[in-house]
Each structure stands twice: as structure tokens, then as C-alpha cells.
Amino acid sequence: MSNWKIIRAVAVEGEEGFTLVELMVVIVIIGLLATIVAINVIPATDTARVEKAKADISTIEQALEQYRLDNLAYPAASDGLQALISPPPSLAQPQRYRRGGYIKKLPQDPWGRAYLYTAPGRKGAFDISSLGADGQPGGENENADIVSSEL
């Protein structure tokens, strides 16, 4: 039993803390790893926002198709996308409007703005669009407009 105490006492006496150099090396390594992760993750968020906008536009298009099937026409440009939530005043036959609407809530684009509804569209009856990250017409990369007729 006494031998155990001697060995334990020696081990405790031999322990030392980390030196400043060792701590600095660990901090530099953690900083490098964080930089590498940030460089790879930040561009992915821009791509994810564009993909979310495309998915939202697809969902809105499906709701507009359901609206057309029930009401025999797409919403007027003046009624906008709000016609998917509640019956517009210009609706010829309000009894045909689906109870509860065609979409529970209109999503905002990933940059916090409302999607735009244009009727007639460039290539069809309507266009749903987002102005991209900059909120201005045109642009490139994440600032480019996302338009349903171009998807």
C-alpha cells in the first residue's frame, strides 16, 4: 500500500502545465481550421438562398395552378399573390374560391422581400420573381433576378 502512495506522489510532482508556446500553437491551429471552414461555408449560404428562392417560386406556381383550376383564370395583376390567401374582390364567382385559400402563408424571398407577381409573364400567363440579394433588377451571381419563366 505504501508503494502505491510513493508512485502516486512522484506522478503528481512530475506534472507540469502547458507552456505559452504550446498554447499559441494550439490557438493558431484552431484559427487556421476556422478560416478554412469559413471560406468553404460562406459561399454555400449564397447558393442555399438561391435554391430556397427557386423552391418557393415552385410552391407559389403550384398554388397559382390550383387557383386557375378552381377559378378558371389566374389572379389579376392588381390582385397579386394575396389572391392565394383570401378571395380577391375582383373574383367573378367567389363561391368557387377554395376555403382556406391556396397557400397558408406567402413566403418572403431569402433576403426578406416579397416575391413579385407579374401577369402576363415573359413567356406565359404569369411570372413569379425575386430580385436577388441586392434587391435591384438585373445583377449577377447571388444578385441575379430569379424568375419563374427562366427556371
Side-chain angles (χ1 to χ4, degrees), residues 57-67:
I57 287 172
S58 177
T59 300
I60 294 169
E61 284 180 316
Q62 291 172 5
L64 285 166
E65 288 300 326
Q66 288 296 316
Y67 180 97

Side-chain angles (χ1 to χ4, degrees), residues 71-145:
N71 299 292
L72 308 176
Y74 293 108
S78 60
D79 295 332
L81 294 175
Q82 289 298 321
L84 298 175
I85 295 175
S86 60
S90 65
L91 195 58
Q93 297 177 345
Q95 68 276 13
R96 295 184 69 119
Y97 191 86
R98 182 181 294 178
R99 183 193 292 173
Y102 296 89
I103 195 167
K104 289 183 180 184
K105 180 183 173 189
L106 285 174
Q108 289 190 329
D109 73 7
W111 300 279
R113 293 181 294 275
Y115 286 98
L116 306 174
Y117 174 69
T118 309
R122 295 178 192 173
K123 297 179 184 176
F126 64 86
D127 275 337
I128 307 298
S129 59
S130 168
L131 296 177
D134 63 355
Q136 302 295 320
E140 295 179 2
N141 300 324
E142 69 274 357
N143 293 331
D145 296 349

